[in-house]
Amino acid sequence: MTHARRLWEEGRQPGREVAALGAAASLTVAVLDLWLTDDVGLLFDLTFVALCVALALSVRPADFFTVGVMPPLLLVGVFVLVAVSRPGVLGHPEDGTVQAVITGMSQHSVALVVGYLLCLAVLFVRQRAVSAVPDTRRTPAR
């Protein structure tokens, strides 16, 4: 007897591909937000939260750890690149790269916390769903 696959059972992408997609998408949104508003703001925050959920839904179960640690690393990576090129966007114009990254992380901490919690919640639900479905490959032959 087969059951209909649910949304949280569909993810089949390898962790490396999901990580690369997350990095590319978050950098693209940061650049788009800078281009449109000359700031990393609400557009980036909302997209970051949605991206965290989408990545958690798309990864295969064997690579849950990769996505589970990814949201803070994505945010730091994006802010390092932004701070190197335009430190005044994240902090004061006279701030160094490290100070601009710290300021950016604190200004976008709500998006990080919400995105991270949703990501972990989706991974938890997916883990429960995967462990509840019997694996027919391990059924002994009669």
Side-chain angles (χ1 to χ4, degrees):
M1 179 178 195
T2 62
H3 72 287
R5 296 184 70 93
R6 295 182 179 94
L7 176 65
W8 50 83
E9 296 173 330
E10 291 295 326
R12 297 286 175 239
Q13 301 301 318
R16 287 183 178 176
E17 289 179 15
V18 172
L21 174 66
S26 58
L27 283 172
T28 301
V29 171
V31 169
L32 181 66
D33 203 9
L34 283 170
W35 181 65
L36 291 173
T37 65
D38 216 25
D39 188 26
V40 178
L42 187 61
L43 174 66
F44 178 79
D45 287 348
L46 294 175
T47 307
F48 180 79
V49 170
L51 181 65
C52 289
V53 172
L55 296 176
L57 286 170
S58 65
V59 72
R60 66 183 175 195
D63 293 331
F64 279 176
F65 178 79
T66 303
V67 173
V69 299
M70 208 161 71
L73 299 175
L74 274 178
L75 201 62
V76 168
V78 168
F79 286 168
V80 165
L81 291 175
V82 170
V84 165
S85 63
R86 295 176 63 187
V89 169
L90 297 175
H92 296 292
E94 63 272 358
D95 285 348
T97 302
V98 174
Q99 182 61 42
V101 170
I102 291 170
T103 302
M105 292 292 289
S106 66
Q107 290 174 347
H108 297 273
S109 61
V110 172
L112 175 60
V113 169
V114 170
Y116 205 7
L117 288 176
L118 288 174
C119 175
L120 292 176
V122 167
L123 291 176
F124 176 76
V125 168
R126 289 192 61 206
Q127 180 63 38
R128 297 282 306 243
V130 167
S131 63
V133 175
D135 191 359
T136 57
R137 293 174 291 173
R138 289 189 270 167
T139 306
R142 294 183 190 187

mmCIF file of all heavy atoms in Angstrom, residues 99-138:
data_model
loop_
_atom_site.group_PDB
_atom_site.id
_atom_site.type_symbol
_atom_site.label_atom_id
_atom_site.label_comp_id
_atom_site.label_asym_id
_atom_site.label_seq_id
_atom_site.Cartn_x
_atom_site.Cartn_y
_atom_site.Cartn_z
ATOM 1 N N GLN A 99 33.340 45.211 12.014
ATOM 2 C CA GLN A 99 32.297 45.980 12.703
ATOM 3 C C GLN A 99 31.036 46.086 11.853
ATOM 4 O O GLN A 99 29.927 46.007 12.376
ATOM 5 C CB GLN A 99 32.801 47.382 13.059
ATOM 6 C CG GLN A 99 31.786 48.212 13.818
ATOM 7 C CD GLN A 99 31.386 47.591 15.142
ATOM 8 O OE1 GLN A 99 32.226 47.075 15.866
ATOM 9 N NE2 GLN A 99 30.105 47.612 15.446
ATOM 10 N N ALA A 100 31.184 46.238 10.541
ATOM 11 C CA ALA A 100 30.016 46.314 9.660
ATOM 12 C C ALA A 100 29.248 44.992 9.652
ATOM 13 O O ALA A 100 28.010 44.983 9.660
ATOM 14 C CB ALA A 100 30.446 46.687 8.248
ATOM 15 N N VAL A 101 29.971 43.866 9.665
ATOM 16 C CA VAL A 101 29.303 42.557 9.703
ATOM 17 C C VAL A 101 28.551 42.382 11.022
ATOM 18 O O VAL A 101 27.398 41.932 11.041
ATOM 19 C CB VAL A 101 30.319 41.410 9.487
ATOM 20 C CG1 VAL A 101 29.686 40.056 9.766
ATOM 21 C CG2 VAL A 101 30.878 41.451 8.082
ATOM 22 N N ILE A 102 29.165 42.758 12.130
ATOM 23 C CA ILE A 102 28.507 42.634 13.436
ATOM 24 C C ILE A 102 27.271 43.528 13.485
ATOM 25 O O ILE A 102 26.205 43.113 13.967
ATOM 26 C CB ILE A 102 29.497 42.971 14.575
ATOM 27 C CG1 ILE A 102 30.554 41.886 14.649
ATOM 28 C CG2 ILE A 102 28.775 43.118 15.904
ATOM 29 C CD1 ILE A 102 31.710 42.204 15.559
ATOM 30 N N THR A 103 27.382 44.743 12.979
ATOM 31 C CA THR A 103 26.237 45.642 12.954
ATOM 32 C C THR A 103 25.119 45.067 12.072
ATOM 33 O O THR A 103 23.950 45.091 12.452
ATOM 34 C CB THR A 103 26.649 47.033 12.440
ATOM 35 O OG1 THR A 103 27.681 47.545 13.280
ATOM 36 C CG2 THR A 103 25.480 47.987 12.418
ATOM 37 N N GLY A 104 25.485 44.555 10.908
ATOM 38 C CA GLY A 104 24.489 43.954 10.014
ATOM 39 C C GLY A 104 23.805 42.757 10.633
ATOM 40 O O GLY A 104 22.578 42.588 10.515
ATOM 41 N N MET A 105 24.574 41.921 11.331
ATOM 42 C CA MET A 105 23.986 40.753 11.992
ATOM 43 C C MET A 105 23.008 41.187 13.074
ATOM 44 O O MET A 105 21.945 40.580 13.232
ATOM 45 C CB MET A 105 25.079 39.871 12.598
ATOM 46 C CG MET A 105 25.966 39.186 11.591
ATOM 47 S SD MET A 105 25.132 37.925 10.637
ATOM 48 C CE MET A 105 24.902 36.678 11.878
ATOM 49 N N SER A 106 23.350 42.223 13.814
ATOM 50 C CA SER A 106 22.439 42.670 14.876
ATOM 51 C C SER A 106 21.195 43.337 14.293
ATOM 52 O O SER A 106 20.099 43.181 14.820
ATOM 53 C CB SER A 106 23.157 43.619 15.837
ATOM 54 O OG SER A 106 23.501 44.822 15.189
ATOM 55 N N GLN A 107 21.345 44.056 13.187
ATOM 56 C CA GLN A 107 20.189 44.711 12.569
ATOM 57 C C GLN A 107 19.233 43.707 11.925
ATOM 58 O O GLN A 107 18.041 43.970 11.818
ATOM 59 C CB GLN A 107 20.646 45.726 11.520
ATOM 60 C CG GLN A 107 21.305 46.939 12.101
ATOM 61 C CD GLN A 107 21.876 47.847 11.029
ATOM 62 O OE1 GLN A 107 21.998 47.468 9.862
ATOM 63 N NE2 GLN A 107 22.243 49.051 11.427
ATOM 64 N N HIS A 108 19.742 42.588 11.506
ATOM 65 C CA HIS A 108 18.923 41.575 10.827
ATOM 66 C C HIS A 108 18.751 40.324 11.685
ATOM 67 O O HIS A 108 18.466 39.239 11.162
ATOM 68 C CB HIS A 108 19.548 41.236 9.475
ATOM 69 C CG HIS A 108 19.599 42.390 8.542
ATOM 70 N ND1 HIS A 108 18.561 42.713 7.707
ATOM 71 C CD2 HIS A 108 20.546 43.338 8.357
ATOM 72 C CE1 HIS A 108 18.874 43.804 7.021
ATOM 73 N NE2 HIS A 108 20.071 44.197 7.412
ATOM 74 N N SER A 109 18.892 40.480 12.998
ATOM 75 C CA SER A 109 18.807 39.326 13.893
ATOM 76 C C SER A 109 17.406 38.717 13.932
ATOM 77 O O SER A 109 17.264 37.504 14.086
ATOM 78 C CB SER A 109 19.267 39.705 15.298
ATOM 79 O OG SER A 109 18.446 40.718 15.825
ATOM 80 N N VAL A 110 16.376 39.533 13.775
ATOM 81 C CA VAL A 110 15.011 38.985 13.790
ATOM 82 C C VAL A 110 14.809 38.051 12.594
ATOM 83 O O VAL A 110 14.269 36.949 12.738
ATOM 84 C CB VAL A 110 13.965 40.117 13.807
ATOM 85 C CG1 VAL A 110 12.568 39.559 13.620
ATOM 86 C CG2 VAL A 110 14.060 40.910 15.090
ATOM 87 N N ALA A 111 15.252 38.479 11.429
ATOM 88 C CA ALA A 111 15.134 37.622 10.239
ATOM 89 C C ALA A 111 15.945 36.342 10.416
ATOM 90 O O ALA A 111 15.492 35.258 10.027
ATOM 91 C CB ALA A 111 15.600 38.369 8.998
ATOM 92 N N LEU A 112 17.123 36.450 11.009
ATOM 93 C CA LEU A 112 17.945 35.265 11.244
ATOM 94 C C LEU A 112 17.253 34.299 12.199
ATOM 95 O O LEU A 112 17.164 33.099 11.920
ATOM 96 C CB LEU A 112 19.315 35.655 11.798
ATOM 97 C CG LEU A 112 20.227 34.499 12.192
ATOM 98 C CD1 LEU A 112 20.525 33.600 10.999
ATOM 99 C CD2 LEU A 112 21.504 35.021 12.815
ATOM 100 N N VAL A 113 16.735 34.802 13.291
ATOM 101 C CA VAL A 113 16.092 33.934 14.284
ATOM 102 C C VAL A 113 14.830 33.289 13.705
ATOM 103 O O VAL A 113 14.624 32.078 13.830
ATOM 104 C CB VAL A 113 15.775 34.720 15.574
ATOM 105 C CG1 VAL A 113 14.872 33.921 16.497
ATOM 106 C CG2 VAL A 113 17.060 35.101 16.284
ATOM 107 N N VAL A 114 14.003 34.073 13.033
ATOM 108 C CA VAL A 114 12.771 33.522 12.455
ATOM 109 C C VAL A 114 13.102 32.506 11.364
ATOM 110 O O VAL A 114 12.537 31.403 11.331
ATOM 111 C CB VAL A 114 11.866 34.655 11.919
ATOM 112 C CG1 VAL A 114 10.707 34.092 11.110
ATOM 113 C CG2 VAL A 114 11.356 35.519 13.052
ATOM 114 N N GLY A 115 14.025 32.851 10.472
ATOM 115 C CA GLY A 115 14.415 31.932 9.407
ATOM 116 C C GLY A 115 15.019 30.648 9.948
ATOM 117 O O GLY A 115 14.716 29.548 9.473
ATOM 118 N N TYR A 116 15.868 30.781 10.953
ATOM 119 C CA TYR A 116 16.524 29.616 11.528
ATOM 120 C C TYR A 116 15.510 28.716 12.247
ATOM 121 O O TYR A 116 15.525 27.490 12.090
ATOM 122 C CB TYR A 116 17.613 30.072 12.494
ATOM 123 C CG TYR A 116 18.729 29.091 12.721
ATOM 124 C CD1 TYR A 116 18.848 27.917 11.983
ATOM 125 C CD2 TYR A 116 19.690 29.330 13.684
ATOM 126 C CE1 TYR A 116 19.881 27.029 12.192
ATOM 127 C CE2 TYR A 116 20.729 28.447 13.908
ATOM 128 C CZ TYR A 116 20.816 27.299 13.160
ATOM 129 O OH TYR A 116 21.840 26.415 13.373
ATOM 130 N N LEU A 117 14.620 29.318 13.029
ATOM 131 C CA LEU A 117 13.608 28.516 13.726
ATOM 132 C C LEU A 117 12.670 27.803 12.754
ATOM 133 O O LEU A 117 12.337 26.631 12.953
ATOM 134 C CB LEU A 117 12.814 29.391 14.689
ATOM 135 C CG LEU A 117 13.553 29.844 15.947
ATOM 136 C CD1 LEU A 117 12.688 30.783 16.761
ATOM 137 C CD2 LEU A 117 14.018 28.660 16.772
ATOM 138 N N LEU A 118 12.244 28.492 11.710
ATOM 139 C CA LEU A 118 11.383 27.848 10.711
ATOM 140 C C LEU A 118 12.122 26.733 9.984
ATOM 141 O O LEU A 118 11.556 25.667 9.710
ATOM 142 C CB LEU A 118 10.838 28.878 9.727
ATOM 143 C CG LEU A 118 9.781 29.822 10.282
ATOM 144 C CD1 LEU A 118 9.426 30.889 9.249
ATOM 145 C CD2 LEU A 118 8.542 29.063 10.708
ATOM 146 N N CYS A 119 13.381 26.963 9.667
ATOM 147 C CA CYS A 119 14.196 25.945 9.005
ATOM 148 C C CYS A 119 14.299 24.698 9.883
ATOM 149 O O CYS A 119 14.073 23.579 9.423
ATOM 150 C CB CYS A 119 15.584 26.507 8.711
ATOM 151 S SG CYS A 119 16.756 25.325 8.026
ATOM 152 N N LEU A 120 14.620 24.897 11.155
ATOM 153 C CA LEU A 120 14.739 23.758 12.068
ATOM 154 C C LEU A 120 13.394 23.067 12.296
ATOM 155 O O LEU A 120 13.339 21.842 12.406
ATOM 156 C CB LEU A 120 15.344 24.211 13.393
ATOM 157 C CG LEU A 120 16.810 24.648 13.321
ATOM 158 C CD1 LEU A 120 17.267 25.176 14.671
ATOM 159 C CD2 LEU A 120 17.709 23.535 12.833
ATOM 160 N N ALA A 121 12.310 23.837 12.331
ATOM 161 C CA ALA A 121 10.980 23.247 12.493
ATOM 162 C C ALA A 121 10.616 22.385 11.287
ATOM 163 O O ALA A 121 10.087 21.273 11.442
ATOM 164 C CB ALA A 121 9.934 24.344 12.699
ATOM 165 N N VAL A 122 10.902 22.868 10.094
ATOM 166 C CA VAL A 122 10.624 22.087 8.884
ATOM 167 C C VAL A 122 11.467 20.819 8.873
ATOM 168 O O VAL A 122 10.967 19.725 8.552
ATOM 169 C CB VAL A 122 10.866 22.934 7.616
ATOM 170 C CG1 VAL A 122 10.884 22.072 6.369
ATOM 171 C CG2 VAL A 122 9.811 24.016 7.496
ATOM 172 N N LEU A 123 12.742 20.924 9.228
ATOM 173 C CA LEU A 123 13.597 19.739 9.268
ATOM 174 C C LEU A 123 13.103 18.742 10.318
ATOM 175 O O LEU A 123 13.142 17.529 10.096
ATOM 176 C CB LEU A 123 15.044 20.133 9.543
ATOM 177 C CG LEU A 123 15.750 20.886 8.415
ATOM 178 C CD1 LEU A 123 17.137 21.306 8.861
ATOM 179 C CD2 LEU A 123 15.815 20.059 7.148
ATOM 180 N N PHE A 124 12.614 19.241 11.452
ATOM 181 C CA PHE A 124 12.073 18.359 12.492
ATOM 182 C C PHE A 124 10.844 17.609 11.980
ATOM 183 O O PHE A 124 10.730 16.392 12.147
ATOM 184 C CB PHE A 124 11.732 19.167 13.744
ATOM 185 C CG PHE A 124 11.078 18.365 14.815
ATOM 186 C CD1 PHE A 124 11.823 17.507 15.602
ATOM 187 C CD2 PHE A 124 9.713 18.445 15.033
ATOM 188 C CE1 PHE A 124 11.222 16.750 16.598
ATOM 189 C CE2 PHE A 124 9.099 17.697 16.022
ATOM 190 C CZ PHE A 124 9.861 16.841 16.800
ATOM 191 N N VAL A 125 9.930 18.327 11.340
ATOM 192 C CA VAL A 125 8.717 17.696 10.805
ATOM 193 C C VAL A 125 9.093 16.685 9.726
ATOM 194 O O VAL A 125 8.536 15.580 9.685
ATOM 195 C CB VAL A 125 7.748 18.765 10.255
ATOM 196 C CG1 VAL A 125 6.627 18.135 9.452
ATOM 197 C CG2 VAL A 125 7.179 19.597 11.396
ATOM 198 N N ARG A 126 10.035 17.050 8.877
ATOM 199 C CA ARG A 126 10.461 16.121 7.825
ATOM 200 C C ARG A 126 11.120 14.884 8.414
ATOM 201 O O ARG A 126 10.908 13.767 7.934
ATOM 202 C CB ARG A 126 11.412 16.816 6.851
ATOM 203 C CG ARG A 126 10.704 17.835 5.976
ATOM 204 C CD ARG A 126 11.558 18.293 4.835
ATOM 205 N NE ARG A 126 11.891 17.140 3.996
ATOM 206 C CZ ARG A 126 12.978 17.086 3.231
ATOM 207 N NH1 ARG A 126 13.809 18.087 3.186
ATOM 208 N NH2 ARG A 126 13.224 16.023 2.495
ATOM 209 N N GLN A 127 11.930 15.059 9.451
ATOM 210 C CA GLN A 127 12.587 13.919 10.086
ATOM 211 C C GLN A 127 11.555 12.976 10.698
ATOM 212 O O GLN A 127 11.659 11.765 10.565
ATOM 213 C CB GLN A 127 13.576 14.393 11.155
ATOM 214 C CG GLN A 127 14.302 13.266 11.849
ATOM 215 C CD GLN A 127 15.175 12.460 10.907
ATOM 216 O OE1 GLN A 127 15.803 13.001 10.018
ATOM 217 N NE2 GLN A 127 15.196 11.155 11.097
ATOM 218 N N ARG A 128 10.554 13.536 11.338
ATOM 219 C CA ARG A 128 9.484 12.717 11.917
ATOM 220 C C ARG A 128 8.723 11.984 10.821
ATOM 221 O O ARG A 128 8.365 10.821 10.985
ATOM 222 C CB ARG A 128 8.523 13.588 12.725
ATOM 223 C CG ARG A 128 9.102 14.282 13.926
ATOM 224 C CD ARG A 128 9.263 13.367 15.110
ATOM 225 N NE ARG A 128 8.023 12.714 15.444
ATOM 226 C CZ ARG A 128 7.363 12.851 16.565
ATOM 227 N NH1 ARG A 128 7.841 13.630 17.497
ATOM 228 N NH2 ARG A 128 6.251 12.209 16.787
ATOM 229 N N ALA A 129 8.452 12.656 9.706
ATOM 230 C CA ALA A 129 7.710 12.033 8.610
ATOM 231 C C ALA A 129 8.532 10.922 7.951
ATOM 232 O O ALA A 129 7.994 9.864 7.619
ATOM 233 C CB ALA A 129 7.317 13.079 7.574
ATOM 234 N N VAL A 130 9.818 11.159 7.795
ATOM 235 C CA VAL A 130 10.677 10.151 7.168
ATOM 236 C C VAL A 130 10.801 8.929 8.063
ATOM 237 O O VAL A 130 10.763 7.798 7.586
ATOM 238 C CB VAL A 130 12.071 10.753 6.860
ATOM 239 C CG1 VAL A 130 13.080 9.682 6.516
ATOM 240 C CG2 VAL A 130 11.971 11.755 5.728
ATOM 241 N N SER A 131 10.940 9.141 9.362
ATOM 242 C CA SER A 131 11.091 7.992 10.257
ATOM 243 C C SER A 131 9.780 7.240 10.469
ATOM 244 O O SER A 131 9.787 6.076 10.855
ATOM 245 C CB SER A 131 11.660 8.438 11.605
ATOM 246 O OG SER A 131 10.779 9.323 12.241
ATOM 247 N N ALA A 132 8.638 7.880 10.188
ATOM 248 C CA ALA A 132 7.346 7.222 10.352
ATOM 249 C C ALA A 132 6.989 6.342 9.162
ATOM 250 O O ALA A 132 6.195 5.418 9.286
ATOM 251 C CB ALA A 132 6.245 8.257 10.555
ATOM 252 N N VAL A 133 7.569 6.611 8.005
ATOM 253 C CA VAL A 133 7.282 5.834 6.797
ATOM 254 C C VAL A 133 8.158 4.591 6.798
ATOM 255 O O VAL A 133 9.383 4.697 6.893
ATOM 256 C CB VAL A 133 7.561 6.682 5.530
ATOM 257 C CG1 VAL A 133 7.389 5.845 4.278
ATOM 258 C CG2 VAL A 133 6.665 7.893 5.509
ATOM 259 N N PRO A 134 7.567 3.409 6.689
ATOM 260 C CA PRO A 134 8.384 2.199 6.670
ATOM 261 C C PRO A 134 9.214 2.127 5.390
ATOM 262 O O PRO A 134 8.756 2.488 4.309
ATOM 263 C CB PRO A 134 7.352 1.059 6.726
ATOM 264 C CG PRO A 134 6.079 1.664 6.267
ATOM 265 C CD PRO A 134 6.145 3.118 6.584
ATOM 266 N N ASP A 135 10.429 1.667 5.551
ATOM 267 C CA ASP A 135 11.347 1.517 4.416
ATOM 268 C C ASP A 135 11.151 0.129 3.813
ATOM 269 O O ASP A 135 11.496 -0.877 4.439
ATOM 270 C CB ASP A 135 12.781 1.719 4.871
ATOM 271 C CG ASP A 135 13.744 1.839 3.698
ATOM 272 O OD1 ASP A 135 13.298 1.745 2.546
ATOM 273 O OD2 ASP A 135 14.944 2.020 3.965
ATOM 274 N N THR A 136 10.587 0.074 2.617
ATOM 275 C CA THR A 136 10.277 -1.211 1.978
ATOM 276 C C THR A 136 11.530 -1.914 1.457
ATOM 277 O O THR A 136 11.502 -3.103 1.196
ATOM 278 C CB THR A 136 9.292 -1.027 0.821
ATOM 279 O OG1 THR A 136 9.862 -0.095 -0.113
ATOM 280 C CG2 THR A 136 7.970 -0.504 1.332
ATOM 281 N N ARG A 137 12.646 -1.205 1.339
ATOM 282 C CA ARG A 137 13.874 -1.827 0.840
ATOM 283 C C ARG A 137 14.490 -2.763 1.862
ATOM 284 O O ARG A 137 15.218 -3.661 1.514
ATOM 285 C CB ARG A 137 14.891 -0.747 0.455
ATOM 286 C CG ARG A 137 14.451 0.082 -0.729
ATOM 287 C CD ARG A 137 15.399 1.188 -0.953
ATOM 288 N NE ARG A 137 15.245 2.117 0.185
ATOM 289 C CZ ARG A 137 16.020 3.154 0.406
ATOM 290 N NH1 ARG A 137 17.038 3.401 -0.383
ATOM 291 N NH2 ARG A 137 15.811 3.955 1.430
ATOM 292 N N ARG A 138 14.199 -2.550 3.136
ATOM 293 C CA ARG A 138 14.795 -3.377 4.185
ATOM 294 C C ARG A 138 13.884 -4.520 4.598
ATOM 295 O O ARG A 138 14.193 -5.239 5.536
ATOM 296 C CB ARG A 138 15.137 -2.515 5.389
ATOM 297 C CG ARG A 138 16.304 -1.589 5.115
ATOM 298 C CD ARG A 138 16.731 -0.933 6.391
ATOM 299 N NE ARG A 138 15.961 0.302 6.515
ATOM 300 C CZ ARG A 138 15.875 1.020 7.600
ATOM 301 N NH1 ARG A 138 16.478 0.645 8.676
ATOM 302 N NH2 ARG A 138 15.173 2.115 7.631
#
